[in-house]
Amino acid sequence: MPDSPGLGEQALNKAAEIGLSSQLDKVEDLNVDVKTDPLKLVQGEVDSVSIEGKGLVMQKDLRVEELKMQTDSVAINPLSAAFGKIELTKPTQASTLVVLTENDINHAFNSEYVRSQLQTQKIHINGQLTTIIPQHVDFHLPGENKVALGASILLRETNETHQVAFSAVPKVSANGQTVSLENVEYGDTKEISPELTKTLIDATSEILNLSNFDLEGMTLRVKQLEVETGKLILQAEAYVEQIPSA
Protein backbone atom coordinates (compact mmCIF):
# COMPACT_ATOMS: atom_id res chain seq x y z
CA MET A 1 0.00 0.00 0.00
CA PRO A 2 2.16 2.87 -1.28
CA ASP A 3 -0.30 5.52 -0.02
CA SER A 4 -0.23 4.41 3.61
CA PRO A 5 1.83 6.74 5.82
CA GLY A 6 5.29 5.57 6.90
CA LEU A 7 6.22 5.15 10.55
CA GLY A 8 7.92 8.54 10.60
CA GLU A 9 4.84 10.29 9.21
CA GLN A 10 2.53 8.47 11.63
CA ALA A 11 4.64 9.52 14.62
CA LEU A 12 4.66 13.16 13.45
CA ASN A 13 0.90 13.11 12.78
CA LYS A 14 0.17 11.74 16.25
CA ALA A 15 2.53 14.17 18.02
CA ALA A 16 0.98 17.17 16.25
CA GLU A 17 -2.59 15.96 16.99
CA ILE A 18 -1.76 15.63 20.70
CA GLY A 19 0.05 19.00 20.74
CA LEU A 20 -2.81 20.86 19.06
CA SER A 21 -5.47 19.13 21.20
CA SER A 22 -3.66 20.21 24.36
CA GLN A 23 -4.22 23.87 23.39
CA LEU A 24 -7.95 23.47 22.88
CA ASP A 25 -10.69 23.26 25.49
CA LYS A 26 -12.51 20.56 23.53
CA VAL A 27 -11.99 18.61 20.32
CA GLU A 28 -14.61 16.55 18.47
CA ASP A 29 -12.33 15.47 15.63
CA LEU A 30 -8.78 16.44 14.69
CA ASN A 31 -6.50 14.97 12.04
CA VAL A 32 -2.98 16.00 11.07
CA ASP A 33 -1.53 14.59 7.84
CA VAL A 34 2.22 15.02 7.25
CA LYS A 35 3.28 14.12 3.71
CA THR A 36 6.93 13.23 3.10
CA ASP A 37 9.15 10.23 2.50
CA PRO A 38 11.87 8.74 4.74
CA LEU A 39 14.72 10.12 2.62
CA LYS A 40 13.36 13.68 2.72
CA LEU A 41 12.57 13.35 6.43
CA VAL A 42 16.22 12.56 7.18
CA GLN A 43 17.14 15.78 5.35
CA GLY A 44 14.52 17.76 7.29
CA GLU A 45 12.09 18.20 4.39
CA VAL A 46 8.32 17.73 4.55
CA ASP A 47 6.18 18.03 1.39
CA SER A 48 3.12 19.35 3.19
CA VAL A 49 1.23 19.39 6.47
CA SER A 50 -2.56 19.47 6.50
CA ILE A 51 -4.67 19.95 9.60
CA GLU A 52 -8.42 19.29 9.66
CA GLY A 53 -10.58 19.74 12.71
CA LYS A 54 -14.28 19.73 13.60
CA GLY A 55 -15.93 21.04 16.74
CA LEU A 56 -12.84 22.71 18.19
CA VAL A 57 -13.50 24.85 21.27
CA MET A 58 -10.95 27.67 21.42
CA GLN A 59 -10.33 30.21 24.15
CA LYS A 60 -13.23 32.39 25.33
CA ASP A 61 -15.67 29.52 24.85
CA LEU A 62 -15.70 29.99 21.07
CA ARG A 63 -16.44 26.82 19.13
CA VAL A 64 -15.23 26.40 15.56
CA GLU A 65 -17.40 24.15 13.41
CA GLU A 66 -14.59 23.46 10.96
CA LEU A 67 -10.90 24.30 10.61
CA LYS A 68 -8.72 23.39 7.62
CA MET A 69 -5.07 24.34 7.30
CA GLN A 70 -2.65 23.36 4.53
CA THR A 71 1.05 24.20 4.23
CA ASP A 72 3.37 23.78 1.28
CA SER A 73 6.82 22.27 1.82
CA VAL A 74 8.18 22.73 5.32
CA ALA A 75 11.75 22.64 6.64
CA ILE A 76 11.98 20.76 9.93
CA ASN A 77 14.72 19.66 12.30
CA PRO A 78 15.48 16.04 11.25
CA LEU A 79 16.81 15.15 14.71
CA SER A 80 13.54 16.21 16.38
CA ALA A 81 11.59 14.37 13.66
CA ALA A 82 13.41 11.17 14.62
CA PHE A 83 11.80 11.56 18.06
CA GLY A 84 8.35 12.22 16.56
CA LYS A 85 8.37 16.01 16.96
CA ILE A 86 7.74 18.61 14.26
CA GLU A 87 10.19 21.44 14.88
CA LEU A 88 10.22 24.01 12.08
CA THR A 89 13.64 25.42 11.23
CA LYS A 90 12.02 28.37 9.45
CA PRO A 91 8.48 29.79 9.46
CA THR A 92 6.01 28.75 6.80
CA GLN A 93 2.66 29.93 5.43
CA ALA A 94 -0.55 27.89 5.53
CA SER A 95 -3.81 28.56 3.73
CA THR A 96 -6.61 28.31 6.29
CA LEU A 97 -10.39 27.99 6.32
CA VAL A 98 -12.42 28.62 9.47
CA VAL A 99 -16.19 28.01 9.60
CA LEU A 100 -18.31 29.37 12.48
CA THR A 101 -22.01 28.65 12.85
CA GLU A 102 -24.72 30.96 14.14
CA ASN A 103 -25.20 28.60 17.13
CA ASP A 104 -21.51 28.70 18.02
CA ILE A 105 -21.35 32.52 18.00
CA ASN A 106 -24.61 32.68 19.99
CA HIS A 107 -23.13 30.36 22.58
CA ALA A 108 -20.02 32.55 22.86
CA PHE A 109 -22.17 35.67 23.36
CA ASN A 110 -24.03 34.03 26.21
CA SER A 111 -20.89 32.55 27.78
CA GLU A 112 -19.67 33.55 31.20
CA TYR A 113 -16.56 35.14 29.68
CA VAL A 114 -18.41 37.62 27.44
CA ARG A 115 -21.07 38.36 30.08
CA SER A 116 -18.41 39.21 32.66
CA GLN A 117 -16.56 41.38 30.12
CA LEU A 118 -19.72 43.36 29.41
CA GLN A 119 -20.54 43.74 33.11
CA THR A 120 -17.19 45.32 33.89
CA GLN A 121 -18.06 48.30 31.67
CA LYS A 122 -19.99 51.33 32.86
CA ILE A 123 -21.73 53.36 30.19
CA HIS A 124 -23.81 56.54 30.07
CA ILE A 125 -27.55 56.10 29.62
CA ASN A 126 -29.77 59.17 29.98
CA GLY A 127 -26.84 61.02 31.51
CA GLN A 128 -26.30 58.41 34.21
CA LEU A 129 -23.31 56.06 34.55
CA THR A 130 -24.79 52.57 34.43
CA THR A 131 -23.64 48.94 34.75
CA ILE A 132 -25.13 46.69 32.08
CA ILE A 133 -26.08 43.06 32.68
CA PRO A 134 -26.89 41.12 29.50
CA GLN A 135 -29.99 38.97 30.11
CA HIS A 136 -29.97 37.26 26.76
CA VAL A 137 -28.27 37.86 23.41
CA ASP A 138 -29.60 36.53 20.10
CA PHE A 139 -27.06 36.55 17.31
CA HIS A 140 -28.20 35.77 13.75
CA LEU A 141 -26.60 35.30 10.35
CA PRO A 142 -29.53 36.17 8.07
CA GLY A 143 -27.49 36.14 4.85
CA GLU A 144 -26.88 39.08 2.48
CA ASN A 145 -23.45 39.46 4.10
CA LYS A 146 -25.02 40.76 7.33
CA VAL A 147 -24.89 39.88 10.99
CA ALA A 148 -27.83 40.72 13.24
CA LEU A 149 -28.07 41.01 16.98
CA GLY A 150 -30.90 41.42 19.45
CA ALA A 151 -30.23 41.73 23.16
CA SER A 152 -32.12 42.17 26.38
CA ILE A 153 -30.05 44.30 28.76
CA LEU A 154 -30.70 44.97 32.44
CA LEU A 155 -29.44 48.27 33.85
CA ARG A 156 -28.31 47.47 37.39
CA GLU A 157 -28.71 50.95 38.89
CA THR A 158 -32.31 51.49 37.75
CA ASN A 159 -33.39 47.83 37.41
CA GLU A 160 -34.80 48.65 33.97
CA THR A 161 -34.60 46.20 31.07
CA HIS A 162 -33.90 47.54 27.58
CA GLN A 163 -34.02 45.85 24.20
CA VAL A 164 -31.29 46.58 21.66
CA ALA A 165 -31.34 45.37 18.06
CA PHE A 166 -29.17 46.10 15.05
CA SER A 167 -27.77 44.55 11.90
CA ALA A 168 -24.40 45.33 10.30
CA VAL A 169 -21.90 44.22 7.68
CA PRO A 170 -18.66 42.72 9.06
CA LYS A 171 -15.48 43.96 7.38
CA VAL A 172 -11.92 42.75 7.84
CA SER A 173 -9.27 45.36 8.60
CA ALA A 174 -6.45 46.00 6.12
CA ASN A 175 -3.99 44.05 8.26
CA GLY A 176 -6.37 41.07 8.35
CA GLN A 177 -6.35 40.85 12.13
CA THR A 178 -9.55 42.53 13.30
CA VAL A 179 -13.18 42.59 12.23
CA SER A 180 -15.27 45.76 12.42
CA LEU A 181 -19.00 46.23 11.83
CA GLU A 182 -20.08 48.75 9.22
CA ASN A 183 -23.39 50.00 7.80
CA VAL A 184 -25.10 49.56 11.17
CA GLU A 185 -28.90 49.61 10.91
CA TYR A 186 -31.04 49.75 14.04
CA GLY A 187 -34.02 47.48 14.62
CA ASP A 188 -37.52 48.48 15.64
CA THR A 189 -36.30 49.40 19.11
CA LYS A 190 -35.72 53.07 19.72
CA GLU A 191 -32.02 53.54 20.32
CA ILE A 192 -31.82 54.35 24.03
CA SER A 193 -28.09 54.91 24.07
CA PRO A 194 -25.50 55.05 21.28
CA GLU A 195 -23.00 53.91 23.91
CA LEU A 196 -24.99 50.77 24.73
CA THR A 197 -25.22 49.84 21.05
CA LYS A 198 -21.53 50.59 20.57
CA THR A 199 -20.66 48.31 23.51
CA LEU A 200 -22.53 45.44 21.85
CA ILE A 201 -20.99 46.23 18.44
CA ASP A 202 -17.54 46.14 20.05
CA ALA A 203 -18.37 42.84 21.74
CA THR A 204 -19.41 41.37 18.37
CA SER A 205 -16.15 42.54 16.79
CA GLU A 206 -14.20 41.07 19.70
CA ILE A 207 -15.82 37.64 19.33
CA LEU A 208 -15.11 37.62 15.59
CA ASN A 209 -11.53 38.80 16.04
CA LEU A 210 -8.96 36.52 14.54
CA SER A 211 -6.68 36.52 17.55
CA ASN A 212 -9.28 34.20 19.14
CA PHE A 213 -8.28 31.50 16.66
CA ASP A 214 -4.50 31.83 17.03
CA LEU A 215 -2.80 28.78 18.43
CA GLU A 216 0.67 28.82 19.94
CA GLY A 217 3.18 29.48 17.16
CA MET A 218 0.47 30.37 14.61
CA THR A 219 -0.95 33.77 13.65
CA LEU A 220 -3.91 34.22 11.29
CA ARG A 221 -4.44 37.00 8.76
CA VAL A 222 -7.89 37.01 7.18
CA LYS A 223 -8.06 37.53 3.46
CA GLN A 224 -11.78 37.08 3.00
CA LEU A 225 -14.87 36.91 5.19
CA GLU A 226 -18.11 35.52 3.80
CA VAL A 227 -21.42 35.61 5.64
CA GLU A 228 -23.86 32.95 4.54
CA THR A 229 -27.22 32.13 6.07
CA GLY A 230 -26.43 30.44 9.39
CA LYS A 231 -22.66 30.39 9.01
CA LEU A 232 -19.62 32.59 8.71
CA ILE A 233 -16.61 31.53 6.59
CA LEU A 234 -13.15 33.01 7.04
CA GLN A 235 -10.44 32.44 4.42
CA ALA A 236 -7.09 33.20 6.00
CA GLU A 237 -3.34 32.91 5.67
CA ALA A 238 -1.60 31.46 8.72
CA TYR A 239 1.95 32.45 9.58
CA VAL A 240 3.32 29.32 11.24
CA GLU A 241 6.44 29.53 13.37
CA GLN A 242 5.76 26.27 15.15
CA ILE A 243 3.31 23.38 14.91
CA PRO A 244 2.53 22.35 18.49
CA SER A 245 3.46 18.75 19.14
CA ALA A 246 3.51 16.46 22.12
Side-chain angles (χ1 to χ4, degrees):
M1 291 196 351
D3 284 344
S4 64
L7 287 175
E9 288 176 333
Q10 280 181 337
L12 293 176
N13 293 350
K14 199 74 205 153
E17 284 166 16
I18 294 168
L20 285 164
S21 296
S22 70
Q23 292 197 19
L24 300 161
D25 290 344
K26 191 177 173 190
V27 174
E28 283 168 31
D29 191 27
L30 181 66
N31 289 298
V32 178
D33 188 12
V34 177
K35 288 267 188 286
T36 187
D37 63 52
L39 195 61
K40 284 184 177 174
L41 202 52
V42 171
Q43 297 169 334
E45 292 174 31
V46 169
D47 292 332
S48 69
V49 179
S50 69
I51 298 168
E52 289 196 18
K54 284 195 186 313
L56 311 179
V57 179
M58 325 290 282
Q59 57 187 331
K60 301 177 186 172
D61 220 6
L62 184 56
R63 181 184 178 277
V64 172
E65 173 68 19
E66 192 178 346
L67 172 77
K68 288 185 179 177
M69 197 176 273
Q70 174 85 38
T71 74
D72 291 327
S73 58
V74 178
I76 66 169
N77 179 336
L79 193 60
S80 297
F83 292 98
K85 188 174 169 66
I86 304 174
E87 186 185 323
L88 303 192
T89 53
K90 60 181 180 188
T92 189
Q93 303 284 109
S95 57
T96 306
L97 174 87
V98 177
V99 178
L100 302 171
T101 67
E102 185 176 89
N103 277 350
D104 292 336
I105 300 171
N106 239 325
H107 180 74
F109 258 114
N110 289 287
S111 70
E112 205 48 55
Y113 174 82
V114 172
R115 290 168 71 87
S116 61
Q117 287 290 99
L118 289 170
Q119 287 179 41
T120 58
Q121 302 180 45
K122 281 187 176 285
I123 61 171
H124 280 97
I125 294 180
N126 301 330
Q128 185 182 358
L129 209 54
T130 308
T131 307
I132 62 170
I133 302 172
Q135 300 294 286
H136 190 69
V137 179
D138 271 323
F139 178 89
H140 293 292
L141 295 168
E144 297 181 356
N145 214 30
K146 287 183 179 178
V147 301
L149 189 124
S152 178
I153 305 288
L154 176 70
L155 310 183
R156 177 179 284 158
E157 284 73 5
T158 58
N159 218 26
E160 295 170 28
T161 301
H162 288 278
Q163 307 299 322
V164 179
F166 65 85
S167 67
V169 177
K171 286 273 192 292
V172 180
S173 64
N175 65 6
Q177 287 181 292
T178 57
V179 174
S180 61
L181 298 187
E182 299 181 0
N183 305 348
V184 177
E185 294 174 10
Y186 301 103
D188 299 333
T189 56
K190 182 168 70 75
E191 195 192 357
I192 55 157
S193 161
E195 276 197 53
L196 181 53
T197 307
K198 183 181 183 307
T199 301
L200 289 168
I201 288 172
D202 290 346
T204 308
S205 301
E206 184 61 36
I207 284 174
L208 300 180
N209 260 351
L210 267 293
S211 58
N212 293 331
F213 309 108
D214 289 347
L215 294 165
E216 194 179 327
M218 302 182 186
T219 311
L220 293 185
R221 301 271 183 281
V222 176
K223 300 199 305 196
Q224 196 178 348
L225 184 150
E226 298 166 42
V227 184
E228 295 185 1
T229 307
K231 68 180 176 181
L232 203 140
I233 301 165
L234 304 164
Q235 305 270 4
E237 193 71 53
Y239 177 77
V240 184
E241 292 180 88
Q242 207 50 264
I243 294 171
S245 53

